Amino acid sequence: MTAAPAATGTAIGMSGLTVRFTTRRAQTTALDDVSLDIEPGEFVTIVGPSGCGKSTLLKIVAGLVKPTSGDVSLLQRPVRGPQKEIGFVFQKAALLEWRGARANILLQAEMRGMDRAQAARRADELIEMTGLTGFEKALPHELSGGMQQRVALCRALLHSPPVLLMDEPFGALDALTREQMNAELHRIWRETGTTVVLVTHSIAEAVFLGTRVVVMSPRPGRIIRTFSVELPAHRDYAQVMSDPRFDRLATDLRGLLGSAAANH
Amino acid sequence: MTENSLDTAGRQAAADQASGARAAAAGPGSVGAGDGLDGAASSTVAIPPPSGGRPPRPTLGRRAVTFADSLWRPALVLAVFFAAWWFVAAREYVPNYLVPTPGQVWETMTTQWSELARHTLVTLYETVLGFVLAAALGLVTAVAIAYSRTLDKALYPIVLFAQVIPKIAIAPLLVVWFGLGLTPKIILAVLIAFFPVVISGVAGLRSTDPELLDLAATMGAGPWRTFRKIRFPNALPHLMAGLKVAVTLAVVGAVVGEFVGASEGLGYVLLLANGNLDAPLLFADLILMSAIGIVLFVLVEIAEALLIPWHASRRAGVSLTTS
Ligand SMILES: Nc1ncnc2c1ncn2[C@@H]1O[C@H](COP(=O)(O)OP(=O)(O)OP(=O)(O)O)[C@@H](O)[C@H]1O
Ligand SMILES: [Mg+2]
């Protein structure tokens, strides 16, 4: 079932990434010497305290933020500007407030000049899958925060990108919907072999979805540890939750995050 | 624009439908039917089709009632104003040759109707042409300023200079240059209406959420698509506010142009009436000038309602007033 394509080199390569933001008031080091290689078909989840540079890391991979120093590559090509072989889910939903849910999803197709009929069909599938049926025409201000995030997720999946970058995509969802969306995302990943990098504050989500969990330190963000998740590739939510390996890993992560915060 | 970004009527209907669907979903029996529950429903039970909860479209009668409801307040204010005017003039608290009665003004309007209509059309023509040119020029300038740092630095001083120079002072110069025809009036209208369009356009184009521009970049869209589908629609609420100011200013520009040298138009009639101490004609003329401004303003408002029904300022039910 793991349809990971034949691994020919890394999907995402980061080496020695350092980012400093200079504003009028202060200079912040958001990331400090971050190196990470991600293989095609991997699902890497990133956890870390607020403000440690997780969003910045994703934006560097997408070519939206230029690192102060260090190198990034995406699909074996150096990242020099904005990348389009990706689907990006921003921390805020970032929807166009004048478009209905479906039209917002189809923005992806319009901007890329994709085949209209095919994109429309795919959009309808995604709408159904994410439980947005009946709200196709609702404007963003008529949707709940969680629904807006689901629209943003559909938009990022519309063109079936080889790499998905997701910044807390399920942050505004209630626990039950969140589990369902996790299960859906897990299924999509298994079936498509997409390389996924997902930032989250939920330890359960990080472990359930990830093949690897990356833990970052408080600002300036460094990778303090990466864990391989020793769970079957095909996961079921209830099974994973009752698996002792899940418990052990979750406890380790919680301890690590807690001590990192305390040492700071 | 694509069908899904400008099909306003459809969108409004869609919004009605969606809110209806939600009302149906959260109907009696579904206690606390929130996000999670209807999300949960999707995997087990099919969500009821939205057609059930669709509210009836407003009928013509209902719309007439809404319209009348929105009208009675200004109508009342106007009525009070006319009553006060009539009272002051009829009792001759001020001499009649200074303030005529509403009746006298009405009589002037009806007896000299064709003459007044001709002059009104001239002023209307100058105003509309001036406004349209100002809107087009202003938008192009705003785009140039918002997109290019160099043009920003180069154009802003010129735009500001064109604004601060007293237009009334250059009106005679324009007449010397362009004669007594329509050209100097239109140029004045453009000059005076241009500034608010540029300022609002630049503000609108610059107000785009940087995250949306990041999004456009990850979609591999070029600048033209990004402009058409994101930046321009996003700028519309600002731009429409600027256009509303501009259209009322365009009337001023046209009339000032007529003051300085003209043989037709409401500004010319005003000078004539003033010279002859013809107070009723003067008042009739003022009323017609105001009418041009009001009608054009309302037309821009209607355009706004059609273009940006999604914007917070236009949404029904978020009014800050009580009714
Ligand atoms: N454009 C910017 N200009 C200046 N500073 C920035 C900018 N973007 C991010 N920062 C700073 O970089 C640091 C990391 O920000 P980032 O958004 O990556 O954090 P995060 O890990 O995603 O946090 P959260 O979990 O709260 O979303 C923060 O201290 C932030 O203030
Ligand atoms: Mg973040």
Side-chain angles (χ1 to χ4, degrees), chain A residues 59 64 82-84 86 90 92 94 96-99 103 107-108 110-113 116 131 135 137-139 141-142 144 146-147 150 155 174 176-177 180, chain B residues 2-5 11 14-15 18 21-22 35-36 39-40 42-43 47 50 209 211-212 214-221 225-226 229-230 233-234 310 315:
Chain A
K59 286 190 178 174
L64 299 171
Q83 301 294 302
K84 55 181 227 171
I86 56 170
F90 290 87
K92 294 183 289 173
L96 303 182
E97 54 172 331
W98 54 90
R99 285 180 174 231
L107 179 74
Q108 183 78 262
E110 289 167 29
M111 295 294 254
R112 287 173 187 271
R116 271 173 174 270
F135 293 90
K137 305 233 166 131
L139 297 174
H141 75 91
E142 300 167 321
S144 72
M147 292 167 113
R150 281 183 267 163
R155 184 179 60 193
D174 64 281
L176 198 60
T177 315
Q180 276 171 357
Chain B
T2 58
E3 72 271 19
N4 37 28
S5 55
R11 196 134 25 78
R22 220 148 338 115
D35 214 345
S42 70
S43 56
I47 278 182
D209 183 352
E211 204 118 276
L212 287 179
D214 278 353
L215 177 78
T218 66
M219 293 173 163
R225 270 194 186 149
T226 308
K229 295 195 183 282
I230 297 178
N234 183 74
W310 47 270
R315 269 176 227 153

Side-chain angles (χ1 to χ4, degrees), chain A residues 47-245:
Chain A
V47 291
S50 180
C52 73
K54 304 182 295 297
S55 299
T56 307
L57 192 69
L58 288 192
K59 286 190 178 174
I60 291 173
V61 174
L64 299 171
V65 169
K66 241 174 87 81
T68 314
S69 63
D71 295 305
V72 212
S73 69
L74 180 79
L75 303 169
Q76 276 115 65
R77 278 190 299 274
V79 171
R80 294 249 163 68
Q83 301 294 302
K84 55 181 227 171
E85 287 85 11
I86 56 170
F88 203 118
V89 182
F90 290 87
Q91 194 164 355
K92 294 183 289 173
L95 301 178
L96 303 182
E97 54 172 331
W98 54 90
R99 285 180 174 231
R102 191 166 182 276
N104 254 300
I105 296 169
L106 286 172
L107 179 74
Q108 183 78 262
E110 289 167 29
M111 295 294 254
R112 287 173 187 271
M114 287 162 63
D115 179 70
R116 271 173 174 270
Q118 208 181 325
R121 241 176 295 127
R122 175 99 177 110
D124 291 333
E125 275 170 35
L126 289 167
I127 285 170
E128 165 140 27
M129 187 192 84
T130 51
L132 287 167
T133 312
F135 293 90
E136 288 91 344
K137 305 233 166 131
L139 297 174
H141 75 91
E142 300 167 321
L143 295 170
S144 72
M147 292 167 113
Q148 292 179 15
Q149 278 192 325
R150 281 183 267 163
V151 173
L153 175 65
C154 294
R155 184 179 60 193
L157 291 172
L158 188 76
H159 54 303
S160 311
V163 175
L164 251 183
L165 305 175
M166 312 175 86
D167 198 351
E168 298 181 38
F170 307 129
L173 295 182
D174 64 281
L176 198 60
T177 315
R178 190 170 188 152
E179 280 171 25
Q180 276 171 357
M181 296 305 299
N182 280 348
E184 277 301 339
L185 185 60
H186 179 67
R187 189 182 59 76
I188 292 170
W189 168 73
R190 256 193 299 115
E191 286 173 3
T192 58
T194 306
T195 309
V196 187
V197 184
L198 178 139
V199 169
T200 179
H201 281 295
S202 156
I203 289 173
E205 187 168 280
V207 176
F208 172 71
L209 286 171
T211 53
R212 252 199 304 168
V213 182
V214 173
V215 184
M216 291 181 66
S217 69
R219 199 180 53 237
R222 292 194 190 89
I223 295 180
I224 42 183
R225 220 172 129 185
T226 57
F227 293 88
S228 287
V229 181
E230 309 294 340
L231 290 167
H234 188 166
R235 299 174 193 177
D236 172 86
Y237 209 88
Q239 261 172 28
V240 167
M241 291 303 134
S242 57
D243 194 308
R245 287 171 295 187

Side-chain angles (χ1 to χ4, degrees), chain B residues 78-100:
Chain B
L78 266 184
V80 169
F81 171 77
F82 271 95
W85 172 15
W86 178 83
F87 187 75
V88 169
R91 290 288 196 89
E92 301 222 28
Y93 289 124
V94 280
N96 219 250
Y97 66 88
L98 292 181
V99 178

Side-chain angles (χ1 to χ4, degrees), chain B residues 240-299:
Chain B
M240 293 312 294
L243 288 178
K244 283 197 269 187
V245 177
V247 80
T248 54
L249 287 179
V251 187
V252 177
V255 170
V256 165
E258 289 167 355
F259 274 177
V260 178
S263 52
E264 49 184 357
L266 291 177
Y268 161 77
V269 173
L270 194 85
L271 284 189
L272 215 62
N274 218 14
N276 296 341
L277 283 181
D278 187 348
L281 181 59
L282 201 146
F283 272 61
D285 196 74
L286 281 176
I287 290 174
L288 287 172
M289 282 179 188
S290 319
I292 291 183
I294 291 171
V295 167
L296 291 178
F297 182 84
V298 168
L299 285 179

